[in-house]
Amino acid sequence: MTDAIFAGLPELEPGSVWLVGAGPGDPGLLTLHAANALRQADVIVHDALVNGDCLKLAKPGAALEYAGKRGGKPSPKQRDISLRLVELARAGNRVLRLKGGDPFVFGRGGEEALTLVEHRIPFRIVPGITAGIGGLAYAGIPVTHREVNHAVTFLTGHDSSGVVPDRINWEGIAKGSPVIVMYMAMKHIGQIATNLIAGGRSPEEPVAFVCNAATPEQVVLETTLSRAEADVAASGLEPPAIVVVGEVVRLRAALDWLGARDGRVLASDPFANRALRDRA
């Protein structure tokens, strides 16, 4: 059965690198290409956000190298990680660079791929389910709902220097994007909330923090823009977290499928006074 599943999938060639997304946490969200890479790789260079259960799919004898980068903690430099991939490939290894979520969504995969191109190392990109979509789905929050939004913005809460990005047009996003999904934003949520409110967002707009998304440790905090900073501090929650701002957060009252498995009674009308219509 296993051979049939992987029949016809590409071979991870010696001397090449695959940049692979592992999804937001649950090993069941790995793609077939990702599982195929795990069963072939000689060396797996993995991030901090990769669920350890995913690594159990590695072939016997595969070398595991940790290359996690976490804000405020000692971490390898990005250039060193990229050059390590080149070194491993040049030694004739089948190299798997396994990254949480999707390698091209705030995952620095583009930077690593450019280094491989610079050094003429063959590579392949394997997309993964990004936490800003899959992680929110595990919290019962859809990023789009046609009664709520026809657009969504994904952004990072800090730039390469570790501060809130000043190149983001906060007023434009506040006015133009009904739903905002933020990566690496928990640390700076106070400043971000201030920026959005100053740009025109309601202080009472719903906000959700999804910590350790799509894992058994997942915790969801629902609050508002004006209370977000204080509520996060009081909760004691820490990153990694995905933050979502918008009316879609209210849908969690109806769509928290994980909570329903534990006995939560789901609401049929999560918008209370706002009717949801089943349109053709």
Side-chain angles (χ1 to χ4, degrees):
M1 180 64 178
T2 300
D3 291 340
I5 290 174
F6 294 107
L9 294 182
E11 180 180 350
L12 175 51
E13 299 283 353
S16 65
V17 178
W18 284 13
L19 301 172
V20 177
D26 186 341
L29 299 180
L30 287 168
T31 65
L32 276 179
H33 277 314
N36 183 41
L38 282 161
R39 67 194 288 267
Q40 295 184 71
D42 301 314
V43 184
I44 301 170
V45 182
H46 63 94
D47 277 353
L49 297 181
V50 172
N51 189 325
D53 288 340
C54 295
L55 299 175
K56 294 177 182 179
L57 299 177
K59 73 176 183 180
L64 303 180
E65 292 194 9
Y66 177 79
K69 295 181 71 65
R70 299 297 295 274
K73 299 180 180 180
S75 303
K77 296 183 182 302
Q78 182 58 55
R79 183 63 176 171
D80 293 338
I81 296 173
S82 299
L83 291 176
R84 178 59 175 160
L85 299 177
V86 172
E87 178 184 22
L88 290 169
R90 283 182 170 169
N93 293 294
R94 299 172 177 86
V95 183
L96 167 56
R97 176 65 169 118
L98 192 63
K99 306 173 79 69
D102 181 285
F104 276 8
V105 181
F106 303 117
R108 309 189 190 204
E111 298 172 48
E112 295 172 359
L114 286 171
T115 300
L116 298 174
V117 171
E118 176 187 353
H119 293 274
R120 301 186 183 279
I121 302 296
F123 68 97
R124 183 185 185 99
I125 306 297
V126 178
I129 298 173
T130 185
I133 296 175
L136 292 183
Y138 268 55
I141 302 172
V143 293
T144 66
H145 187 285
R146 59 184 178 164
E147 291 291 342
V148 175
N149 65 309
H150 295 88
V152 58
T153 296
F154 296 89
L155 59 86
T156 176
H158 67 75
D159 59 20
S160 58
S161 62
V163 299
V164 177
D166 57 10
R167 289 184 291 178
I168 290 178
N169 184 344
W170 292 101
E171 182 178 359
I173 289 174
K175 293 180 177 177
S177 185
V179 173
I180 306 166
V181 178
M182 296 180 281
Y183 297 68
M184 299 167 284
M186 178 179 275
K187 179 179 178 181
H188 300 297
I189 192 59
Q191 181 61 56
I192 291 170
T194 296
N195 291 347
L196 292 173
I197 292 171
R201 286 309 252 259
S202 168
E204 297 307 308
E205 183 155 17
V207 178
F209 295 80
V210 184
C211 301
N212 296 306
T215 73
E217 291 75 40
Q218 176 176 294
V219 178
V220 181
L221 171 65
E222 295 181 57
T223 179
T224 65
L225 270 180
S226 63
R227 299 198 307 268
E229 183 178 24
D231 285 353
V232 166
S235 72
L237 295 175
E238 295 183 352
I242 285 290
V243 185
V244 56
V245 178
E247 289 295 311
V248 291
V249 172
R250 299 190 194 279
L251 284 160
R252 186 166 189 267
L255 303 179
D256 180 15
W257 57 278
L258 282 173
R261 291 169 54 184
D262 294 329
R264 179 178 184 176
V265 177
L266 301 181
S268 60
D269 182 6
F271 293 109
N273 295 325
R274 176 179 173 181
L276 288 176
R277 295 178 295 279
D278 184 14
R279 295 177 177 173

